[in-house]
Amino acid sequence: MVCFIKSRLTFSVLVILLSVTWSISGCRHSAIASYTDILTDSINSIVSDYDGEIGVALIVNGKDTVAVNNENIYPLMSVFKVHQALAICEDFDRKGISLDTLLTIHRDELDPNTWSPMLKEHTDTVFTLSVKDLLHYTLSMSDNNASNLMFRELVGVAQSDSLIATLIPRESFQIAYTEYEMSAAHDKAYANCTSPLGAAALMARIFTDSIVSETKQSFIKRTLEECITGRDRIKAGLPDNANIYTAHKTGSGYRTATGRFAAHNDVAFIILPDGPMYALAVFVKDFNGNEEQASEAITRISAAVYSLLEKQ
């Protein structure tokens, strides 16, 4: 069982770190170790091989940072389910509510045409699940119906957006629409946006700082570790080593009117045995190619990062 050191990355230190990175607009800070310069060059080389916008952010041991194409313009897609989970847990902590709270779910209120393992596994007209069950569906299986239901019944989009703005800089992200709304109008996906560094910073805080109650935060960590989507992305760039801890969340977008993939994303927290721990975010936007090629780009970046960091 991996033990996490809390408060290694305090909010104030994180804000300073991010503010410095954004203020230099992609220029490398002179105090950053030379290996980050090597990684920046390597990632830029990989990114140049693909037709699309690819943004990458890396935070190593809560201090060394790499950011490539770090504009706040990348569609979050289902990565925002991490943001949603934190907002729900914070709200429940404040109100003294347990994640074991049950919700009655009516099948006819769900979308039969969206990605929803929950809907396939529960075939009754009316069924009951706990909030913990719903969060497990969203974080580990990226279930859209579970996400829409919790936005409607528990914590809305605006409240979720406001809560996350207390954790990472406001200018680094925005949450404006639900999965249901994005499905109805695909262009709205671009309004749920992030910078790669904003996403990496949030993932780093989940695993190195105290955000919500220990029980709820441990649940989020464990469920991200169990994520079954997108194993051909960041995880594919790591060796098949049981001693490497990996937790991640993916997001995938629609085909645009021009035939490009709007988004193909992965954000992970990784701990190497006897080595560093790091948050890695890769966002692929408006990609001219297929999903396998977009995953390949993410895998190559992950492999480049691992290859250098495992020597540190």
Side-chain angles (χ1 to χ4, degrees):
M1 187 70 181
V2 178
C3 294
F4 298 97
I5 302 174
K6 289 188 176 181
S7 300
R8 291 185 58 177
L9 186 63
T10 65
F11 183 46
S12 59
V13 171
L14 182 62
V15 169
I16 292 171
L17 174 65
L18 299 184
S19 297
V20 168
T21 302
W22 284 312
S23 67
I24 62 178
S25 300
C27 296
R28 295 191 290 271
H29 192 279
S30 60
I32 295 178
S34 60
Y35 80 86
T36 61
D37 294 344
I38 297 171
L39 271 175
T40 300
D41 292 340
S42 177
I43 292 169
N44 271 314
S45 178
I46 293 170
V47 166
S48 68
D49 289 339
Y50 298 92
D51 185 358
E53 296 184 48
I54 302 179
V56 183
L58 172 71
I59 302 173
V60 184
N61 291 332
K63 54 182 181 178
D64 291 344
T65 305
V66 172
V68 172
N69 298 330
N70 189 48
E71 297 79 11
N72 61 344
I73 55 174
Y74 296 91
L76 276 161
M77 301 310 300
S78 287
V79 173
F80 85 156
K81 289 164 183 167
V82 176
H83 304 57
Q84 180 184 26
L86 287 169
I88 290 171
C89 288
E90 190 276 338
D91 183 78
F92 274 36
D93 277 345
R94 193 159 27 83
K95 296 175 179 176
I97 303 174
S98 168
L99 293 183
D100 292 323
T101 300
L102 297 176
L103 289 183
T104 299
I105 302 167
H106 296 264
R107 190 178 184 86
D108 61 3
E109 295 179 352
L110 304 178
D111 183 358
N113 299 315
T114 193
W115 171 253
S116 185
M118 176 186 72
L119 199 58
K120 294 179 181 178
E121 294 177 5
H122 298 276
T123 58
D124 292 340
T125 302
V126 180
F127 56 96
T128 302
L129 290 175
S130 69
V131 175
K132 182 179 289 186
D133 291 333
L134 293 170
L135 287 172
H136 192 274
Y137 274 118
T138 61
L139 293 176
S140 70
M141 305 179 199
S142 210
D143 194 290
N144 291 336
N145 271 315
S147 175
N148 290 329
L149 177 66
M150 289 188 291
F151 271 136
R152 185 175 71 241
E153 301 292 337
L154 302 178
V155 177
V157 168
Q159 183 179 339
S160 299
D161 181 79
S162 296
L163 180 277
I164 299 302
T166 69
L167 303 177
I168 57 176
R170 168 75 274 174
E171 65 270 22
S172 70
F173 82 102
Q174 174 179 273
I175 303 174
Y177 297 108
T178 65
E179 290 281 9
Y180 178 80
E181 290 169 314
M182 290 189 291
S183 177
H186 291 178
D187 284 348
K188 289 183 176 179
Y190 289 86
N192 280 359
C193 57
T194 189
S195 69
L197 191 55
L202 187 64
M203 187 67 82
R205 288 210 68 192
I206 291 171
F207 286 89
T208 63
D209 204 353
S210 178
I211 301 175
V212 295
S213 63
E214 183 176 357
T215 300
K216 291 182 177 67
Q217 194 157 329
S218 294
F219 166 74
I220 291 174
K221 294 174 185 176
R222 184 172 62 254
T223 310
L224 290 172
E225 182 183 354
E226 296 168 355
C227 179
I228 63 174
T229 61
R231 290 177 174 173
D232 59 345
R233 302 180 198 182
I234 287 177
K235 293 191 76 169
L238 303 171
D240 188 12
N241 183 338
N243 292 322
I244 297 177
Y245 177 89
T246 308
H248 75 121
K249 183 70 191 79
T250 58
S252 301
Y254 313 100
R255 284 279 189 184
T256 67
T258 59
R260 290 174 176 260
F261 275 110
H264 200 74
N265 313 323
D266 201 3
V267 182
F269 190 82
I270 297 162
I271 303 176
L272 303 183
D274 302 319
M277 59 182 181
Y278 59 97
L280 175 63
V282 186
F283 286 82
V284 180
K285 175 188 173 186
D286 294 339
F287 186 76
N288 185 22
N290 57 39
E291 290 188 79
E292 290 75 18
Q293 291 167 325
S295 292
E296 175 195 84
I298 297 174
T299 297
R300 288 179 61 194
I301 291 167
S302 176
V305 171
Y306 168 79
S307 179
L308 192 55
L309 291 187
E310 62 94 17
K311 300 172 184 177
Q312 298 301 309

Short mmCIF file of all heavy atoms in Angstrom, two decimals, residues 103-134:
data_model
loop_
_atom_site.label_atom_id
_atom_site.label_comp_id
_atom_site.label_asym_id
_atom_site.label_seq_id
_atom_site.Cartn_x
_atom_site.Cartn_y
_atom_site.Cartn_z
N LEU A 103 -29.31 7.33 -3.52
CA LEU A 103 -30.15 8.07 -4.46
C LEU A 103 -31.03 7.09 -5.21
O LEU A 103 -30.57 6.03 -5.65
CB LEU A 103 -29.30 8.85 -5.45
CG LEU A 103 -28.53 10.07 -4.94
CD1 LEU A 103 -27.81 10.74 -6.11
CD2 LEU A 103 -29.44 11.06 -4.26
N THR A 104 -32.29 7.44 -5.38
CA THR A 104 -33.20 6.65 -6.21
C THR A 104 -33.11 7.16 -7.64
O THR A 104 -33.25 8.35 -7.90
CB THR A 104 -34.65 6.78 -5.70
OG1 THR A 104 -34.71 6.29 -4.36
CG2 THR A 104 -35.60 5.98 -6.57
N ILE A 105 -32.87 6.25 -8.56
CA ILE A 105 -32.59 6.61 -9.94
C ILE A 105 -33.68 6.05 -10.85
O ILE A 105 -33.99 4.85 -10.80
CB ILE A 105 -31.20 6.08 -10.37
CG1 ILE A 105 -30.12 6.64 -9.43
CG2 ILE A 105 -30.90 6.43 -11.82
CD1 ILE A 105 -28.79 5.94 -9.55
N HIS A 106 -34.25 6.90 -11.66
CA HIS A 106 -35.29 6.49 -12.60
C HIS A 106 -34.67 6.36 -13.99
O HIS A 106 -34.13 7.32 -14.53
CB HIS A 106 -36.43 7.51 -12.61
CG HIS A 106 -37.15 7.61 -11.30
ND1 HIS A 106 -38.31 6.93 -11.04
CD2 HIS A 106 -36.85 8.31 -10.17
CE1 HIS A 106 -38.70 7.19 -9.81
NE2 HIS A 106 -37.84 8.04 -9.26
N ARG A 107 -34.78 5.18 -14.54
CA ARG A 107 -34.13 4.89 -15.81
C ARG A 107 -34.59 5.83 -16.93
O ARG A 107 -33.80 6.22 -17.78
CB ARG A 107 -34.41 3.43 -16.20
CG ARG A 107 -33.60 2.94 -17.39
CD ARG A 107 -33.89 1.47 -17.67
NE ARG A 107 -33.03 0.99 -18.75
CZ ARG A 107 -31.80 0.51 -18.55
NH1 ARG A 107 -31.31 0.46 -17.32
NH2 ARG A 107 -31.07 0.11 -19.56
N ASP A 108 -35.85 6.22 -16.90
CA ASP A 108 -36.36 7.06 -17.98
C ASP A 108 -35.84 8.50 -17.90
O ASP A 108 -36.08 9.31 -18.80
CB ASP A 108 -37.89 7.04 -18.02
CG ASP A 108 -38.54 7.57 -16.74
OD1 ASP A 108 -37.81 8.01 -15.82
OD2 ASP A 108 -39.78 7.54 -16.66
N GLU A 109 -35.11 8.84 -16.84
CA GLU A 109 -34.51 10.15 -16.72
C GLU A 109 -33.04 10.17 -17.18
O GLU A 109 -32.38 11.20 -17.13
CB GLU A 109 -34.59 10.64 -15.27
CG GLU A 109 -36.02 10.86 -14.78
CD GLU A 109 -36.07 11.32 -13.34
OE1 GLU A 109 -35.01 11.31 -12.67
OE2 GLU A 109 -37.17 11.67 -12.87
N LEU A 110 -32.57 9.01 -17.62
CA LEU A 110 -31.18 8.88 -18.07
C LEU A 110 -31.12 8.89 -19.58
O LEU A 110 -32.11 8.62 -20.27
CB LEU A 110 -30.57 7.60 -17.51
CG LEU A 110 -30.61 7.43 -15.99
CD1 LEU A 110 -30.01 6.08 -15.59
CD2 LEU A 110 -29.87 8.57 -15.29
N ASP A 111 -29.93 9.17 -20.10
CA ASP A 111 -29.72 9.23 -21.55
C ASP A 111 -29.29 7.86 -22.05
O ASP A 111 -28.20 7.39 -21.74
CB ASP A 111 -28.64 10.27 -21.86
CG ASP A 111 -28.41 10.44 -23.36
OD1 ASP A 111 -29.04 9.72 -24.16
OD2 ASP A 111 -27.57 11.29 -23.73
N PRO A 112 -30.12 7.18 -22.85
CA PRO A 112 -29.77 5.84 -23.33
C PRO A 112 -28.71 5.85 -24.43
O PRO A 112 -28.18 4.79 -24.79
CB PRO A 112 -31.10 5.30 -23.86
CG PRO A 112 -31.83 6.53 -24.31
CD PRO A 112 -31.45 7.62 -23.34
N ASN A 113 -28.38 7.03 -24.94
CA ASN A 113 -27.47 7.11 -26.09
C ASN A 113 -26.07 7.61 -25.74
O ASN A 113 -25.29 7.93 -26.62
CB ASN A 113 -28.09 8.03 -27.16
CG ASN A 113 -29.41 7.51 -27.67
OD1 ASN A 113 -29.55 6.33 -27.97
ND2 ASN A 113 -30.40 8.39 -27.76
N THR A 114 -25.77 7.70 -24.46
CA THR A 114 -24.45 8.15 -24.05
C THR A 114 -23.67 7.01 -23.42
O THR A 114 -24.23 5.95 -23.11
CB THR A 114 -24.57 9.34 -23.05
OG1 THR A 114 -23.29 9.95 -22.90
CG2 THR A 114 -25.07 8.88 -21.69
N TRP A 115 -22.37 7.24 -23.20
CA TRP A 115 -21.52 6.22 -22.57
C TRP A 115 -21.95 6.05 -21.11
O TRP A 115 -21.89 6.99 -20.32
CB TRP A 115 -20.05 6.64 -22.65
CG TRP A 115 -19.13 5.76 -21.85
CD1 TRP A 115 -18.51 6.08 -20.68
CD2 TRP A 115 -18.74 4.42 -22.15
NE1 TRP A 115 -17.75 5.03 -20.22
CE2 TRP A 115 -17.88 3.99 -21.11
CE3 TRP A 115 -19.03 3.54 -23.19
CZ2 TRP A 115 -17.30 2.72 -21.09
CZ3 TRP A 115 -18.47 2.26 -23.17
CH2 TRP A 115 -17.61 1.87 -22.14
N SER A 116 -22.40 4.82 -20.76
CA SER A 116 -22.94 4.63 -19.41
C SER A 116 -22.92 3.16 -19.00
O SER A 116 -23.92 2.45 -19.13
CB SER A 116 -24.37 5.17 -19.33
OG SER A 116 -24.86 5.09 -18.01
N PRO A 117 -21.78 2.67 -18.48
CA PRO A 117 -21.75 1.31 -17.93
C PRO A 117 -22.80 1.12 -16.84
O PRO A 117 -23.34 0.02 -16.69
CB PRO A 117 -20.33 1.21 -17.36
CG PRO A 117 -19.53 2.17 -18.18
CD PRO A 117 -20.45 3.31 -18.45
N MET A 118 -23.10 2.16 -16.08
CA MET A 118 -24.12 2.07 -15.03
C MET A 118 -25.46 1.63 -15.61
O MET A 118 -26.15 0.77 -15.04
CB MET A 118 -24.27 3.43 -14.35
CG MET A 118 -25.37 3.49 -13.30
SD MET A 118 -25.62 5.15 -12.63
CE MET A 118 -26.40 5.98 -14.05
N LEU A 119 -25.83 2.21 -16.73
CA LEU A 119 -27.11 1.90 -17.35
C LEU A 119 -27.15 0.46 -17.85
O LEU A 119 -28.21 -0.20 -17.81
CB LEU A 119 -27.38 2.87 -18.50
CG LEU A 119 -28.83 3.02 -18.99
CD1 LEU A 119 -29.72 3.48 -17.85
CD2 LEU A 119 -28.89 3.98 -20.15
N LYS A 120 -26.01 -0.05 -18.29
CA LYS A 120 -25.95 -1.43 -18.77
C LYS A 120 -26.01 -2.43 -17.62
O LYS A 120 -26.54 -3.54 -17.76
CB LYS A 120 -24.68 -1.64 -19.58
CG LYS A 120 -24.64 -0.85 -20.88
CD LYS A 120 -23.35 -1.08 -21.63
CE LYS A 120 -23.31 -0.27 -22.92
NZ LYS A 120 -22.02 -0.45 -23.66
N GLU A 121 -25.45 -2.04 -16.47
CA GLU A 121 -25.38 -2.96 -15.34
C GLU A 121 -26.64 -2.94 -14.47
O GLU A 121 -26.87 -3.87 -13.70
CB GLU A 121 -24.16 -2.63 -14.48
CG GLU A 121 -22.83 -2.89 -15.20
CD GLU A 121 -21.62 -2.48 -14.37
OE1 GLU A 121 -21.81 -2.08 -13.20
OE2 GLU A 121 -20.49 -2.57 -14.90
N HIS A 122 -27.44 -1.88 -14.60
CA HIS A 122 -28.67 -1.77 -13.80
C HIS A 122 -29.85 -1.61 -14.76
O HIS A 122 -30.08 -0.54 -15.32
CB HIS A 122 -28.58 -0.58 -12.84
CG HIS A 122 -27.46 -0.71 -11.85
ND1 HIS A 122 -27.58 -1.40 -10.67
CD2 HIS A 122 -26.17 -0.25 -11.90
CE1 HIS A 122 -26.44 -1.36 -10.02
NE2 HIS A 122 -25.57 -0.67 -10.74
N THR A 123 -30.58 -2.66 -14.92
CA THR A 123 -31.61 -2.71 -15.96
C THR A 123 -33.03 -2.45 -15.44
O THR A 123 -33.97 -2.39 -16.23
CB THR A 123 -31.59 -4.08 -16.65
OG1 THR A 123 -31.79 -5.12 -15.67
CG2 THR A 123 -30.26 -4.31 -17.35
N ASP A 124 -33.20 -2.31 -14.13
CA ASP A 124 -34.53 -2.04 -13.58
C ASP A 124 -35.01 -0.64 -13.96
O ASP A 124 -34.21 0.26 -14.21
CB ASP A 124 -34.52 -2.16 -12.05
CG ASP A 124 -34.29 -3.59 -11.59
OD1 ASP A 124 -34.52 -4.51 -12.40
OD2 ASP A 124 -33.85 -3.78 -10.44
N THR A 125 -36.32 -0.48 -13.97
CA THR A 125 -36.90 0.83 -14.27
C THR A 125 -36.52 1.86 -13.22
O THR A 125 -36.24 3.02 -13.53
CB THR A 125 -38.44 0.72 -14.34
OG1 THR A 125 -38.79 -0.23 -15.35
CG2 THR A 125 -39.07 2.06 -14.70
N VAL A 126 -36.49 1.43 -11.96
CA VAL A 126 -36.06 2.26 -10.84
C VAL A 126 -35.05 1.46 -10.02
O VAL A 126 -35.29 0.29 -9.71
CB VAL A 126 -37.24 2.67 -9.94
CG1 VAL A 126 -36.76 3.54 -8.78
CG2 VAL A 126 -38.31 3.40 -10.75
N PHE A 127 -33.92 2.09 -9.69
CA PHE A 127 -32.92 1.40 -8.88
C PHE A 127 -32.25 2.41 -7.95
O PHE A 127 -32.40 3.62 -8.10
CB PHE A 127 -31.89 0.67 -9.75
CG PHE A 127 -31.18 1.53 -10.77
CD1 PHE A 127 -29.93 2.07 -10.49
CD2 PHE A 127 -31.75 1.77 -12.02
CE1 PHE A 127 -29.26 2.84 -11.43
CE2 PHE A 127 -31.09 2.55 -12.97
CZ PHE A 127 -29.83 3.08 -12.66
N THR A 128 -31.53 1.88 -6.97
CA THR A 128 -30.91 2.72 -5.94
C THR A 128 -29.41 2.49 -5.92
O THR A 128 -28.95 1.34 -5.93
CB THR A 128 -31.51 2.41 -4.56
OG1 THR A 128 -32.92 2.63 -4.59
CG2 THR A 128 -30.88 3.30 -3.49
N LEU A 129 -28.64 3.59 -5.88
CA LEU A 129 -27.19 3.51 -5.75
C LEU A 129 -26.74 4.56 -4.75
O LEU A 129 -27.38 5.60 -4.58
CB LEU A 129 -26.51 3.77 -7.10
CG LEU A 129 -26.66 2.70 -8.19
CD1 LEU A 129 -26.03 3.20 -9.48
CD2 LEU A 129 -26.03 1.39 -7.76
N SER A 130 -25.61 4.31 -4.12
CA SER A 130 -25.03 5.30 -3.22
C SER A 130 -24.26 6.33 -4.04
O SER A 130 -23.89 6.09 -5.20
CB SER A 130 -24.09 4.64 -2.21
OG SER A 130 -22.93 4.15 -2.88
N VAL A 131 -24.00 7.48 -3.44
CA VAL A 131 -23.18 8.50 -4.10
C VAL A 131 -21.79 7.94 -4.36
O VAL A 131 -21.18 8.22 -5.40
CB VAL A 131 -23.11 9.77 -3.24
CG1 VAL A 131 -22.17 10.80 -3.86
CG2 VAL A 131 -24.50 10.36 -3.05
N LYS A 132 -21.29 7.13 -3.46
CA LYS A 132 -19.99 6.49 -3.66
C LYS A 132 -20.01 5.62 -4.91
O LYS A 132 -19.06 5.62 -5.70
CB LYS A 132 -19.62 5.65 -2.44
CG LYS A 132 -18.25 4.99 -2.54
CD LYS A 132 -17.92 4.18 -1.29
CE LYS A 132 -17.65 5.07 -0.12
NZ LYS A 132 -17.19 4.32 1.07
N ASP A 133 -21.10 4.88 -5.13
CA ASP A 133 -21.24 4.07 -6.35
C ASP A 133 -21.21 4.95 -7.59
O ASP A 133 -20.55 4.62 -8.58
CB ASP A 133 -22.55 3.28 -6.33
CG ASP A 133 -22.57 2.18 -5.28
OD1 ASP A 133 -21.49 1.66 -4.94
OD2 ASP A 133 -23.67 1.84 -4.81
N LEU A 134 -21.93 6.05 -7.54
CA LEU A 134 -22.00 6.96 -8.69
C LEU A 134 -20.63 7.56 -8.99
O LEU A 134 -20.22 7.66 -10.15
CB LEU A 134 -23.02 8.06 -8.43
CG LEU A 134 -24.48 7.61 -8.36
CD1 LEU A 134 -25.36 8.75 -7.85
CD2 LEU A 134 -24.97 7.13 -9.72
#
